[in-house]
Structures are given as C-alpha cells and as structure tokens.
C-alpha cells in the first residue's frame, strides 16, 4: 500500500489567509523553522496506477498537480488515475474539493448517507456534480461495515468517531440524521497491512486500541496541542474537544502503548508542533510521534 500525504493541515491551511498568529506571521516573514501545509488530503494506491483519495480538500487541484501519479495519462484527452474518493465527513475542509472535480469526469464517492444528504440534498451548489448522467456515483458506507474499494484489493472499515455534524448544518436537520454518520475514522487493509486514518476525533475509544496495534501506521487528529488553544489565541471560542478534536498532548498519553508508526495529521496553523524549534515539537517526537507534512510518502 502506497500512501501519499498531499496535505497535512487542518481547515484554513498553514498559513491561513486571515491569520497572524505567531506561527503564520513568522512563516510569512521567513523566521519559522517548519513547512507551510495545505489542507488535509491523503492518496492511497495498491498498484501506483489507480488511486483513492481520503478527503476532498479545498486545495485538491493544487495537490493533484503537485503529485504526477495523479495526472491524466497523456494518451487520453480526459482521464484521471483517481478511482474513488472516500469522504469521512461533510466538513468544508474534507468535502469542498469535490466541486473542483466537476469537469465531467465520472467519479465514485464513498460517503455515509448523512454526509451525502448534507452535500447533495441541502446544498444546490453540489448539483454541479449532477450535470451529466452517471457523473458521480455515490456509494453509501456505514460505520462498522467493511467494504471493498472496487477491484483495488483495498478493504475499508469505517468507524464512527462520535464527532458532530458541521456547524453549517441547521439544528433541525441534525435531528433527522444519524449522529454516528457525522465523522468517520477509517481502517484501510491490503495484503495483511493496515493503516488507520482518524483525522477528526475528540477522544480515543478503548475499542480502537487493539485495532491500532494491528496497524502498520496510525494517522491521528493533530489539530490542536492544547484544549484551550484557540481560546488563548482569540480570547474566546470553543475548546478543542468541543470542536471535535482531542488535544495532541492528551493523545500522546492515550496512545502511548501503541506500537504502530504514529503520525499526527490535520494540524491547525496555531499548533506549536508545526514549529520544529518548539518544545512541543520536541516532546511530540520524543513520545514517538511524527508530524505529517505535504509530500510525506509511505509504503507499507
Ligand atoms: Zn495562524
């Protein structure tokens, strides 16, 4: 299994267009030891010919161009090696990229019924993906029900992370939807190798620990270092956990005994682990974790 990190940042990216936090400011000034990052996006392949996307990030067009295996074959006018897209949530930074793939290319999208309804029933903009018959084939995925990603040999097991629906979903609408379908983590399996991708999780469910230990690699929510990170920055707002993200310093403790390769992804621009000179980065690395970056490449 070949895994390419096309983007490692949380919503907004790093730097974020309207942010002058100490990370974003110093990055722009060239005084930062660390890399800029686009919004979280993975690509996975078992044959380096067809690829599955995890997320459809708002930076997807640039991310596809940055990785030649995702370019169309020169022999065809219209072609894409992207065989399918797995959407773990309906958040803007996980799903907006679908709109960037609207150029009449047949697409297969795996999503829960709730995520599909939020995107296609409630948002007329997504009608752009219905301009032609069979333009997008939606395949429902359900928590705890494994399925094959077409004929790739990849098996995908989605699990609910108990996260909430995006803030733009009206209260009344939320009540109609199954909350277990709001945010998913996924286990990908191929020929005895397993990778977990949990880029949005406000806690570690005890059931996951055994599964994580059977993985070669665990990608986990690295959005915030501390629970009050944004409150400290802005003077008000929600805690990390209220936003659906377990702080990195707590995850390090919760997954201390996991022997898999451990990588934080979906890192907010305010998170001090982006700064490779910081104490927080050193603590994260000393605890056996890596911090994902754009262009990170793994083969398991
Ligand atoms: Zn910032």
């Amino acid at each position: 299994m070949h895994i390419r990190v096309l983007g490692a940042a949380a919503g907004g990216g790093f730097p974020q267009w309207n942010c002058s936090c100490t990370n974003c400011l110093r990055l722009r000034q060239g005084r930062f030891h660390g890399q800029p990052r686009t919004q979280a996006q993975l690509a996975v392949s078992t044959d380096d010919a067809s690829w599955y996307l995890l997320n459809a990030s708002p930076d997807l067009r640039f991310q596809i161009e940055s990785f030649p295996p995702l370019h169309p074959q020169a022999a065809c006018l219209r072609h894409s090696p992207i065989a399918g897209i797995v959407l773990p949530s309906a958040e803007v930074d996980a799903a907006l990229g679908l709109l960037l793939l609207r150029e009449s290319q047949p697409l297969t999208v795996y999503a829960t019924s709730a995520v599909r309804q939020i995107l296609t029933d409630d948002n007329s903009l997504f009608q752009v993906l219905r301009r032609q018959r069979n333009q997008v084939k939606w395949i429902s995925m359900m928590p705890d029900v494994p399925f094959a990603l077409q004929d790739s040999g990849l098996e995908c097991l989605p699990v609910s992370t108990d996260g909430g629906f995006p803030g733009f979903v009206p209260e009344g609408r939320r009540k109609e939807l199954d909350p277990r379908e709001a945010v998913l983590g996924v286990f990908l399996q191929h020929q005895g190798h397993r990778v977990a991708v949990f880029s949005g999780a406000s806690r570690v469910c005890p059931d996951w620990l055994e599964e994580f230990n059977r993985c070669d690699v665990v990608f986990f929510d690295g959005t915030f270092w501390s629970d009050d990170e944004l409150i400290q920055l802005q003077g008000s707002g929600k805690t990390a956990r209220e936003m659906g993200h377990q702080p990195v310093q707590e995850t390090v403790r919760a997954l201390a005994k996991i022997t898999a390769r451990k990588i934080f992804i979906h890192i907010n621009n305010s998170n001090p682990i982006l700064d490779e000179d910081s104490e927080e980065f050193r603590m994260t690395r000393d605890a056996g974790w890596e911090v994902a970056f754009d262009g990170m490449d793994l083969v398991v």
Side-chain angles (χ1 to χ4, degrees), residues 13-16 19-25 28 233 268-270:
F14 176 53
Q16 178 176 307
C19 188
S20 59
C21 73
T22 172
N23 282 352
C24 291
L25 191 65
R28 291 192 187 98
L233 205 64
N268 197 56
N269 57 80
S270 57

Side-chain angles (χ1 to χ4, degrees), residues 25-85:
L25 191 65
R26 285 183 298 139
L27 185 78
R28 291 192 187 98
Q29 293 173 338
R31 297 190 293 115
F32 188 81
H33 184 193
Q35 297 183 28
R37 286 164 170 85
T38 57
Q39 293 165 91
Q41 180 68 52
L42 294 187
V44 182
S45 179
T46 55
D47 59 7
D48 281 343
S50 59
W51 291 80
Y52 289 85
L53 302 181
L54 266 180
N55 271 6
S57 109
D59 297 316
L60 195 50
R61 198 198 70 84
F62 166 79
Q63 291 166 334
I64 290 170
E65 289 306 314
S66 75
F67 187 49
L70 294 181
H71 296 175
Q73 289 174 11
C76 310
L77 177 63
R78 293 281 191 269
H79 169 264
S80 173
I82 297 169
I85 302 156

Side-chain angles (χ1 to χ4, degrees), residues 5-260:
V5 179
L6 296 168
F14 176 53
Q16 178 176 307
W17 69 282
N18 64 344
C19 188
S20 59
C21 73
T22 172
N23 282 352
C24 291
L25 191 65
R26 285 183 298 139
L27 185 78
R28 291 192 187 98
Q29 293 173 338
R31 297 190 293 115
F32 188 81
H33 184 193
Q35 297 183 28
R37 286 164 170 85
T38 57
Q39 293 165 91
Q41 180 68 52
L42 294 187
V44 182
S45 179
T46 55
D47 59 7
D48 281 343
S50 59
W51 291 80
Y52 289 85
L53 302 181
L54 266 180
N55 271 6
S57 109
D59 297 316
L60 195 50
R61 198 198 70 84
F62 166 79
Q63 291 166 334
I64 290 170
E65 289 306 314
S66 75
F67 187 49
L70 294 181
H71 296 175
Q73 289 174 11
C76 310
L77 177 63
R78 293 281 191 269
H79 169 264
S80 173
I82 297 169
I85 302 156
V86 178
L87 289 184
S89 79
E91 290 288 351
V92 170
D93 64 325
L96 186 68
L98 273 188
L99 295 175
L100 310 179
L101 306 180
R102 68 191 181 282
E103 281 82 11
S104 304
Q105 180 72 34
L107 296 170
T108 300
V109 179
Y110 300 85
T112 62
S113 173
V115 166
R116 179 181 50 74
Q117 287 178 64
I118 291 167
L119 297 178
T120 64
D121 295 354
D122 301 353
N123 287 279
S124 60
L125 197 56
F126 278 81
Q127 298 298 326
V128 76
L129 299 173
R130 275 192 202 163
R131 285 187 304 179
Q132 294 182 355
R133 208 164 155 263
N134 300 329
Q135 189 175 346
V136 174
K137 180 179 175 188
W138 290 87
I139 297 181
S140 284
M141 56 179 184
M142 287 179 283
D144 304 323
V145 179
F147 61 94
L149 286 163
Q150 296 169 79
D151 54 2
S152 64
L154 273 171
E155 187 180 87
C156 181
L157 171 65
V159 298
S160 176
T161 67
D162 295 334
F165 288 108
F168 62 79
V169 178
E171 192 60 38
R173 182 59 157 145
R174 283 165 204 250
K175 289 177 183 157
E176 299 168 359
L177 302 169
D178 182 349
R180 296 180 66 243
E181 296 188 354
V183 184
L184 300 178
V186 299
F187 292 98
L188 296 170
Q189 184 164 315
H190 180 250
Q191 294 182 344
H193 292 283
R194 294 181 110 212
V195 174
V197 184
F198 283 61
S199 48
S202 61
R203 67 190 181 108
V204 172
C205 172
D207 293 351
W208 301 344
L209 295 175
E210 194 179 326
E211 297 295 321
F212 285 166
N213 259 334
R214 293 175 55 215
C215 289
D216 297 84
V217 183
V218 173
F219 287 94
F220 204 84
D221 186 336
T223 313
F224 298 111
W225 170 258
S226 55
D227 202 33
D228 63 349
E229 189 165 313
L230 283 191
I231 298 171
Q232 293 268 3
L233 205 64
Q234 301 171 159
S236 63
K238 290 182 175 177
T239 65
R241 237 181 248 288
E242 284 168 350
M243 295 173 73
H245 305 291
Q246 174 167 267
V248 162
Q249 51 185 337
E250 292 178 31
T251 302
V252 163
R253 284 195 291 272
L255 297 183
K257 291 184 179 160
I258 300 300
T259 53

